[in-house]
Amino acid sequence: MGLLLFGTKKADIGVEEVLLHCPSCEGATKADVMVSTLYYHIWWIPMCPTGKLATFICSECGLKRVDIPLEKNIISNYKEIRSKFRNPLYTYFGVAFFLFLAIYAYFDSRG
């Protein structure tokens, strides 16, 4: 029997300044958004990304909201932020590895 180590891990992608509604200031203010990606791993080898998280820091009052899922209803320019901060390629390593193994096994069995 072997030990199977798996779970999720977070990797930082980048920082951007956006306009959003602050619940503390009760108005539209600029805030720094730090975007991170979550991915599954097995033995610390990335398998596939599962989602993106954002940390917001209001530039007016300093309110910090940590690890909020990156969704349309929170950020006004959601599509721009989502396309700017793409998942790093290494988070797809597991998918690529198993796809390579499947293709290799297929062609190896043919002849």
Side-chain angles (χ1 to χ4, degrees):
M1 257 190 234
L3 181 63
L4 180 63
L5 298 173
F6 64 94
T8 59
K9 199 166 184 182
K10 184 170 85 167
D12 296 331
I13 300 175
V15 179
E16 179 75 20
E17 187 173 73
V18 297
L19 185 66
L20 56 85
H21 178 78
C22 177
S24 180
C25 299
E26 296 183 356
T29 61
K30 292 197 178 223
D32 291 327
V33 178
M34 291 175 269
V35 181
S36 303
T37 185
L38 279 177
Y39 61 89
Y40 285 119
H41 67 84
I42 298 177
W43 290 297
W44 299 282
I45 299 171
M47 290 295 134
C48 63
T50 61
K52 292 182 183 175
L53 300 175
T55 299
F56 302 101
I57 302 173
C58 179
S59 60
E60 293 292 322
C61 66
L63 176 69
K64 186 175 183 179
R65 298 184 285 172
V66 180
D67 291 343
I68 297 174
L70 194 59
E71 296 174 347
K72 292 179 190 177
N73 58 354
I74 297 175
I75 302 176
S76 59
N77 54 350
Y78 167 78
K79 287 186 179 183
E80 179 186 337
I81 296 293
R82 184 156 174 94
S83 65
K84 183 174 184 175
F85 296 110
R86 298 196 176 270
N87 290 319
L89 288 177
Y90 70 85
T91 60
Y92 295 99
F93 179 77
V95 173
F97 179 72
F98 287 115
L99 183 63
F100 173 77
L101 283 180
I103 292 170
Y104 178 78
Y106 174 74
F107 285 112
D108 190 45
S109 68
R110 290 183 73 197

